[in-house]
């Protein structure tokens, strides 16, 4: 009787150990760093992306963590344990950070200045559209509707196509505010990285950077498969907004030359 | 048992048999923006009635014996039950938030994807009671059930997965990562193989359901083609895929997933259904507000039928 009990205990102990070992061996854990103001709406998008990635991770044994850094602390921090650094900082600090993290993807979620695209740094990934992209989108639209005072945006809370309705709905439900360009950018940066982890099991930042720049095919709930230009800018559709209403999408059909996403903004790095 | 009883029982059995076996021979189509169901006569291929059903009807299905028609009325969060003969709305029940697509299990239960809530729910349509709830990925969309009822696939669009659920236990047995935004799926007769469409990657995948492995990936070969519904021919040699904004129904080799033919239909082709004899496929062409009737011998459209605004789902009672 005692023997039998001991045996049962031993068997269950071994079984427990085996299960623990397999489980811990299979879990992939990945860390993101966010650098910037905690009140910036980009961070809400980052958090939304993290939550969705962890929902997916439950089914695949993958776990995603987020650490927040104030800009002044980030400039001297060692980010080697992070898959990517997500930033909503000013242009000077962005460039300093990018330079110090040469093998890590550094996402720009907030700066529309064209000069940092033209700089063509190897590790910078610009999710937010550039000024030039917005200008090109507007001039395409004005060829059709010359009096329009529209403004080009990456995102709008009324956007419903391509399941944008679903993303807007769950973002609003979680954060009680509407998704804007910055939060869409934060969400996108996390989503494209975590989708890549799920598909490829890449957890090394340098390999992730290479994958994002050369093999990405991203569903940002804006229709097309998105990917990066050699400038590090994400190719994407833009929305033209007038009186807070979506009036058109750019590239504007019948006007855009070429009729592709590359009709918006600078395409190539100067050799 | 005395003779009188025996005769009565046989008579009742005969009546029951003839009722459940008599085909109604109608095609039912949900009109997403028309808030209605178009009823097409299977012989004349003309619309014979329109049912005002409620706001934003999408998923549509039949009970296993064909005696009840179920319609997911998305904006009202309800399933409405319609008599396919009299076309009367018999009853309705709450079906969770934003019910979109569903499939009917051979045991009569309905498996629904609840797009807003990252879950699938199982309802008994006789009582309207929720039988089970299964947590899945974000934006669950397509639901397919193997003919033997042992496996259910729920696709989650934003999580890019086919969730394989063991039924009737209703537990997830596998999660298979596929292309971007998987939308719809269908099983072979044996249930060992399934085909699924992925919208953004424009792919059709063939999956080994026993080992949870992708066997083959076929491309729809057109950037506008955002594939939706998928069907297998009766001999399982050919796959029919609704090509979305490519405005075609694609005919693909079920083995190689190479495109054999693109059949031009109306704009934004979405839902597909096949007659029991496999001779015709009906497609809903959303933007054109039409249903196309395809002859599967020639793989050509033999008739285009005007229906309500933005036809979405289609089911055949034959």
């Amino acid at each position: 009787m005692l023997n039998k009990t001991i045996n049962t205990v031993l068997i269950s102990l071994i079984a427990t150990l085996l299960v623990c070992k397999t489980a811990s061996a299979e879990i992939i854990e990945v860390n993101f760093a966010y650098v910037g103001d905690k009140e910036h709406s980009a961070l809400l998008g980052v958090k939304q992306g993290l939550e969705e990635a962890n929902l997916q991770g439950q089914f695949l044994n993958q776990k995603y963590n987020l650490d927040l850094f104030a800009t002044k602390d980030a400039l001297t921090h060692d980010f080697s344990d992070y898959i990517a650094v997500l930033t909503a900082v000013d242009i000077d600090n962005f460039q300093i950070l990018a330079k110090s993290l040469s093998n890590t993807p550094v996402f720009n979620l907030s700066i529309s200045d064209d000069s940092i695209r033209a700089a063509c740094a190897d590790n910078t990934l610009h999710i937010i559209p550039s000024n030039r992209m917005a200008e090109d989108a507007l001039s395409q639209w004005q060829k059709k509707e010359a009096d329009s005072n529209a403004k080009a945006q990456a995102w709008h809370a009324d956007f419903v196509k391509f399941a944008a309705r679903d993303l807007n709905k769950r973002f609003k439900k979680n954060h009680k505010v509407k998704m804007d360009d910055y939060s869409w950018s934060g969400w996108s940066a996390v989503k494209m990285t975590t989708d890549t982890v799920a598909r490829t099991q890449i957890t090394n930042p340098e390999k992730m950077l290479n994958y994002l720049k050369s093999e990405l095919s991203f569903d940002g709930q804006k229709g097309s498969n998105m990917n990066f230009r050699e400038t590090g800018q994400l190719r994407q559709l833009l929305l033209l907004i007038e009186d807070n209403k979506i009036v058109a999408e750019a590239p504007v059909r019948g006007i855009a030359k070429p009729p592709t996403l590359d009709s918006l903004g600078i395409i190539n790095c100067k050799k | 048992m005395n003779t009188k009883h025996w005769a009565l029982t046989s008579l009742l059995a005969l009546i029951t048999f003839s009722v459940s076996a008599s085909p109604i021979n109608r095609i039912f189509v949900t009109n997403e923006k028309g808030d209605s169901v178009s009823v097409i006569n299977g012989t004349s291929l003309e619309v014979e009635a329109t049912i005002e059903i409620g706001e934003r009807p999408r998923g549509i299905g039949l009970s296993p014996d064909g005696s009840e028609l179920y319609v997911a009325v998305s904006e009202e969060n309800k399933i409405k039950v319609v008599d396919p003969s009299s076309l009367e709305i018999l009853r309705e029940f709450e079906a969770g938030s934003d019910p979109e697509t569903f499939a009917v299990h051979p045991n009569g239960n309905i498996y629904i994807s609840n797009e807003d809530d990252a879950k699938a729910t199982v309802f008994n349509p006789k009582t309207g009671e929720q039988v089970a709830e299964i947590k899945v990925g974000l934006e669950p969309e397509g639901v397919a059930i193997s003919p033997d009822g042992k496996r259910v696939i729920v696709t989650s669009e934003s999580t890019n997965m086919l969730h394989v659920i063991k039924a009737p236990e209703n537990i997830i047995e596998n999660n298979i990562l596929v292309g971007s935004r998987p939308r719809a799926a269908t099983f072979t007769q044996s249930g060992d193989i399934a085909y699924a469409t992925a919208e953004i990657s424009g792919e059709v995948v063939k999956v080994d359901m026993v080992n949870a492995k992708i066997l083959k990936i076929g491309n729809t070969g057109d950037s506008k083609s955002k594939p939706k519904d998928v069907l297998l021919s009766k001999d399982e040699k050919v796959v029919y895929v609704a090509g979305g904004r490519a405005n075609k129904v694609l005919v693909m080799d079920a083995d190689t997933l190479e495109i054999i033919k693109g059949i031009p239909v109306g704009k934004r082709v979405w839902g597909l259904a096949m007659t029991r004899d496999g001779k015709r496929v009906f497609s809903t062409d959303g933007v054109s507000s039409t249903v196309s009737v395809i002859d599967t011998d020639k793989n050509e459209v033999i008739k285009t039928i005007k229906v309500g605004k933005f036809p979405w789902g289609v089911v055949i009672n034959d």
Side-chain angles (χ1 to χ4, degrees):
Chain A
M1 184 64 198
L2 187 66
N3 264 345
K4 204 182 164 191
T5 316
I6 290 173
N7 271 342
T8 317
V9 170
L10 267 179
I11 289 168
S12 38
L13 196 67
I14 290 167
T16 315
L17 283 173
L18 277 176
V19 170
C20 287
K21 192 162 180 278
T22 346
S24 64
E26 279 176 3
I27 283 192
I28 291 181
E29 210 161 332
V30 170
N31 303 320
F32 283 90
Y34 168 85
V35 180
D37 192 335
K38 284 180 189 167
E39 304 302 316
H40 201 291
S41 61
L43 180 58
L44 297 181
V46 168
K47 287 181 174 171
Q48 181 68 28
L50 252 286
E51 187 187 308
E52 294 180 10
N54 278 320
L55 196 146
Q56 183 182 50
Q58 286 171 20
F59 300 111
L60 299 171
N61 267 344
Q62 291 161 353
K63 191 169 181 296
Y64 301 95
N65 307 306
L66 174 67
D67 292 326
L68 309 183
F69 297 89
T71 313
K72 60 176 173 39
D73 303 329
L75 299 176
T76 53
H77 195 83
D78 172 11
F79 285 104
S80 52
D81 288 339
Y82 294 87
I83 191 84
V85 177
L86 314 160
T87 70
V89 296
D90 64 37
I91 191 164
D92 294 338
N93 284 316
F94 178 77
Q95 282 175 309
I96 297 167
L97 260 174
K99 208 166 183 182
S100 68
L101 297 168
S102 56
N103 294 324
T104 300
V106 178
F107 283 96
N108 164 23
L109 310 180
S110 62
I111 308 162
S112 53
D113 199 301
D114 278 275
S115 68
I116 51 170
R117 277 81 177 169
C120 288
D122 284 336
N123 64 329
T124 56
L125 300 168
H126 311 281
I127 307 293
I128 197 94
S130 70
N131 290 331
R132 178 71 188 277
M133 287 167 77
E135 286 158 17
D136 289 346
L138 185 59
S139 77
Q140 285 179 14
W141 177 236
Q142 282 174 335
K143 279 182 190 148
K144 214 166 177 170
E145 295 283 329
D147 302 332
S148 174
N149 272 322
K151 188 172 146 245
Q153 289 180 198
W155 192 255
H156 193 276
D158 294 341
F159 195 38
V160 296
K161 266 167 79 177
F162 312 116
R165 174 212 292 262
D166 300 285
L167 178 57
N168 272 322
K169 226 171 174 176
R170 58 181 188 261
F171 183 85
K172 180 89 190 291
K173 192 175 165 190
N174 273 351
H175 302 287
K176 318 288 176 224
V177 290
K178 290 176 178 178
M179 186 172 239
D180 64 8
D181 283 24
Y182 302 121
S183 28
W184 178 78
S185 298
W187 172 85
S188 293
V190 174
K191 167 104 165 134
M192 66 175 67
T193 310
T194 56
D195 274 358
T196 303
V197 174
R199 285 189 192 286
T200 64
Q201 282 82 47
I202 290 174
T203 54
N204 170 288
E206 194 174 354
K207 285 185 183 155
M208 178 57 71
L209 179 62
N210 287 335
Y211 186 96
L212 292 175
K213 288 205 81 167
S214 58
E215 289 179 63
L216 182 72
S217 173
F218 173 58
D219 161 33
Q221 314 218 182
K222 286 214 280 183
S224 4
N225 271 331
M226 290 185 245
N227 53 26
F228 287 101
R229 293 177 181 152
E230 61 176 353
T231 59
Q233 174 66 54
L234 187 70
R235 289 186 172 88
Q236 61 188 285
L237 162 162
L238 295 185
L239 301 171
L240 289 148
I241 313 294
E242 199 170 347
D243 298 329
N244 204 27
K245 285 195 175 64
I246 302 169
V247 291
E249 291 165 20
V252 178
R253 207 182 290 177
I255 306 276
K257 278 183 197 157
T260 66
L261 297 178
D262 278 347
S263 62
L264 307 172
I266 55 165
I267 317 302
N268 298 314
C269 294
K270 282 186 188 128
K271 291 279 159 29
Chain B
M1 194 190 286
N2 65 34
T3 322
K4 201 176 147 192
H5 258 120
W6 182 84
L8 195 65
T9 315
S10 317
L11 190 66
L12 277 173
L14 196 68
I15 292 167
T16 315
F17 174 78
S18 53
V19 166
S20 65
S22 84
I24 290 165
N25 200 16
R26 280 173 165 164
I27 295 98
F28 297 92
V29 178
T30 49
N31 301 308
E32 184 182 1
K33 292 186 182 169
D35 299 339
S36 61
V37 172
S38 296
V39 183
I40 298 168
N41 182 303
T43 309
S44 68
L45 300 178
E46 307 274 349
V47 174
E48 56 177 292
T50 302
I51 310 165
E52 299 304 320
I53 197 80
E55 213 178 326
R56 206 177 180 207
R58 290 195 282 176
I60 188 164
L62 286 162
S63 60
D65 66 359
S67 66
E68 290 189 334
L69 176 74
Y70 307 121
V71 180
V73 184
S74 296
E75 286 297 316
E76 298 179 19
N77 302 328
K78 278 175 187 155
I79 296 275
K80 295 198 181 176
V81 183
V82 178
D83 180 332
S85 304
S86 72
L87 306 182
E88 272 172 51
I89 298 175
L90 301 173
R91 56 185 191 277
E92 58 181 44
F93 59 90
E94 297 288 329
S97 169
D98 201 11
E100 183 172 353
T101 312
F102 64 84
V104 184
H105 192 277
N107 70 14
N109 283 343
I110 295 180
Y111 283 70
I112 308 178
S113 61
N114 292 107
E115 191 161 27
D116 281 357
D117 279 351
K119 68 185 186 190
T121 42
V122 187
F123 284 90
N124 176 343
K126 300 288 171 204
T127 61
E129 276 174 321
Q130 185 179 313
V131 178
E133 178 180 307
I134 307 137
K135 282 191 176 161
V136 295
L138 283 171
E139 294 173 39
E141 166 110 3
V143 185
I145 300 178
S146 63
D148 64 8
K150 287 184 180 162
R151 286 194 181 95
V152 179
I153 293 175
V154 174
T155 72
S156 58
E157 289 190 299
S158 201
T159 311
N160 309 319
M161 278 180 196
L162 307 183
H163 303 280
V164 185
I165 296 160
K166 209 169 144 185
E169 297 86 347
N170 297 324
I171 46 175
I172 291 187
E173 83 180 353
N174 278 304
N175 299 290
I176 305 166
L177 205 57
V178 295
S180 285
R181 303 196 78 78
R183 266 188 173 169
T186 192
F187 281 90
T188 56
Q189 205 53 39
S190 73
D192 291 348
I193 304 278
Y195 294 84
T197 53
E199 173 191 355
I200 296 288
S201 54
E203 289 166 351
V204 178
V205 289
K206 181 179 180 181
V207 188
D208 173 341
M209 296 310 290
V210 181
N211 300 304
K213 276 215 164 80
I214 293 177
L215 298 173
K216 196 132 241 162
I217 300 176
N219 205 294
T220 49
D222 180 337
S223 63
K224 278 180 290 189
S225 161
K226 312 234 183 250
K228 171 59 168 94
D229 266 6
V230 54
L231 280 184
L232 256 178
S233 63
K234 294 293 166 190
D235 62 8
E236 302 192 343
K237 288 183 176 165
V238 160
V239 182
Y240 290 90
V241 177
R245 287 176 196 278
N247 309 332
K248 282 175 193 157
V249 170
L250 302 165
V251 188
M252 296 172 105
D253 183 301
D255 186 38
T256 63
L257 293 183
E258 274 164 26
I259 298 173
I260 299 167
K261 190 175 181 181
I263 308 168
V265 290
K267 285 182 183 167
R268 200 234 197 197
V269 52
W270 203 249
L272 295 178
M274 187 181 277
T275 51
R276 203 181 287 276
D277 62 12
K279 290 191 170 161
R280 280 172 184 170
V281 166
F282 291 75
S283 73
T284 59
D285 317 329
V287 173
S288 305
S289 296
T290 55
V291 163
S292 298
V293 188
I294 294 166
D295 174 327
T296 57
D297 282 336
K298 297 176 194 154
N299 283 328
E300 279 171 12
V301 172
I302 54 165
K303 182 152 186 179
T304 303
I305 307 162
K306 197 84 187 160
V307 290
K309 208 171 166 193
F310 246 73
W312 198 97
V314 53
V315 76
I316 304 169
N317 190 332
D318 63 349

